[in-house]
Amino acid sequence: KIKNNTVRRVPQDKSAGAYWHKRLPEDGRIHWANMEASFVHNFIRGLARPCPGAFSYIHEKKIIFWKSSLLNKKFKGCPGRIVSHGPQGFIVICKDQGLLITQFECEHGGQEKLMGRTLR
């Protein structure tokens, strides 16, 4: 319709809408115990660059997540625990199963020894 210049303008019904609060940096924190793997995956996708990124902490070091991948294989355990590490990334347990983190960065550079650590 835009291409043919036949779009009809329709005013929005403001009573059908809603207002949402301003996003704060803390809103990007991942809560592993409360979030299912598919939710965390989409959360990471939604906060990828140019946004500030979804994040978590290992001790006091902030880890920012840029990409993840859903798994067909089930991993269970303590939410936030890193259970596997390999060339494709590492697997973190979410509320329901594991999630493969394929791209991330540590806030102050370098990479933590991740295996067996718990993200919070």
Side-chain angles (χ1 to χ4, degrees):
K1 289 184 177 184
I2 292 173
K3 190 175 182 180
N4 298 330
N5 201 24
T6 58
V7 175
R8 189 176 67 104
R9 293 178 180 250
V10 179
Q12 289 185 345
D13 178 3
K14 292 184 181 177
S15 68
Y19 290 94
W20 196 258
H21 62 80
K22 178 181 174 182
R23 187 191 179 285
L24 300 173
E26 187 62 23
D27 294 336
R29 187 170 189 166
I30 297 172
H31 299 279
W32 302 98
N34 301 328
M35 297 177 171
E36 294 179 355
S38 61
F39 185 92
V40 175
H41 173 68
N42 288 325
F43 194 64
I44 290 169
R45 289 176 55 219
L47 293 175
R49 290 182 177 103
C51 292
F55 66 92
S56 197
Y57 291 93
I58 292 181
H59 299 293
E60 299 305 316
K61 289 192 178 183
K62 187 176 188 179
I63 311 294
I64 303 168
F65 305 101
W66 298 115
K67 288 188 180 179
S68 63
S69 181
L70 293 169
L71 301 169
N72 292 327
K73 197 174 180 182
K74 301 283 184 194
F75 288 83
K76 297 266 186 191
C78 177
R81 177 76 48 92
I82 297 169
V83 293
S84 179
H85 189 270
Q88 292 182 327
F90 59 90
I91 296 170
V92 182
I93 301 296
C94 298
K95 178 182 177 180
D96 61 339
Q97 67 181 57
L99 178 69
L100 177 63
I101 303 297
T102 57
Q103 192 176 72
F104 70 99
E105 67 182 80
C106 297
E107 186 178 45
H108 299 294
Q111 293 203 2
E112 287 285 307
K113 289 184 180 180
L114 300 170
M115 191 62 184
R117 298 281 184 112
T118 300
L119 296 162
R120 54 171 188 80

